[in-house]
Amino acid sequence: DTGVSQDPRHKITKRGQNVTFRCDPISEHNRLYWYRQTLGQGPEFLTYFQNEAQLEKSRLLSDRFSAERPKGSFSTLEIQRTEQGDSAMYLCASSLASGRSTDTQYFGPGTRLTVL
Amino acid sequence: SQQGEEDPQALSIQEGENATMNCSYKTSINNLQWYRQNSGRGLVHLILIRSNEREKHSGRLRVTLDTSKKSSSLLITASRAADTASYFCATMNTGFQKLVFGTGTRLLVSP
């Protein structure tokens, strides 16, 4: 399967700890997105990269959150000093910006974070 | 924040019946997309309709878009138990790459 993969699938942590999630996009895709989804809601945009450049960040992405895509391939999302309100599903998506069709985003299975 | 609202919030039907879900949004869009999400899992892309299109079909799916009313509908014909999932509309606004999702419709198809 060459879809978007995320690791880990589940993470349980204690409040105040740091966590890091990884996303591997579809191999030829140059755009990568992070979204957060809480129970009963639709996903909310956090940030996106084109290649290694982070081009847009939501105000939801507080200074405790940082995302990187160092070589324009995989990406990591780190949350420092986690809070109970950070408990959510973190979804990664990727797309191919090729001029004609840049809009379909393909999602990974998500990382479910529980902060105790 | 969520861009739009979906209606109904929940829908329960029998296998073989059609299911219609509606989505309303607030701003001008480049395109609108529908996704399916099975419980606790990632989203599966179903169909994309651009702002200059009015209707699109894909298998048992039919999507309409009315930009004057800022609304869209998703019709699933001859539903199956495997169609049980949450369905989300998402808009991509002109000049932006992010998707703005609605609140979703939970569909239950009973055998």
Side-chain angles (χ1 to χ4, degrees), chain A residues 31 35 37 42 89 103 105, chain B residues 33 35 37 50 97 99:
Chain A
R31 284 189 174 151
Y35 292 82
Q37 184 179 25
M89 175 81 88
D103 305 323
Q105 295 180 21
Chain B
Q33 305 180 37
Y35 285 84
Q37 185 176 38
R50 299 193 186 278
Q97 291 302 319
L99 289 173

Side-chain angles (χ1 to χ4, degrees), chain B residues 4-17:
Chain B
E5 295 182 0
E6 287 165 79
D7 171 56
Q9 289 187 335
L11 180 61
S12 184
I13 59 174
Q14 300 289 124
E15 260 190 334
E17 294 180 340

Side-chain angles (χ1 to χ4, degrees), chain A residues 31 33 35 37 40-45 48 56 59 89 91 100-110 112, chain B residues 1-2 30-31 33 35 37 40-45 48 50 88 92 96-104 106:
Chain A
R31 284 189 174 151
Y33 311 79
Y35 292 82
Q37 184 179 25
Q41 299 295 312
E44 293 180 291
F45 171 80
Y48 97 93
E56 188 176 350
R59 63 179 183 275
M89 175 81 88
L91 294 161
R100 286 197 64 187
S101 177
T102 66
D103 305 323
T104 300
Q105 295 180 21
Y106 297 90
F107 282 78
R112 182 169 296 284
Chain B
S1 62
Q2 311 285 177
N30 178 288
N31 64 70
Q33 305 180 37
Y35 285 84
Q37 185 176 38
R41 299 200 170 183
L43 291 98
V44 174
H45 184 263
L48 179 153
R50 299 193 186 278
F88 293 92
M92 183 174 286
F96 293 91
Q97 291 302 319
K98 65 182 180 184
L99 289 173
V100 182
F101 284 83
T103 50
R106 292 184 303 281

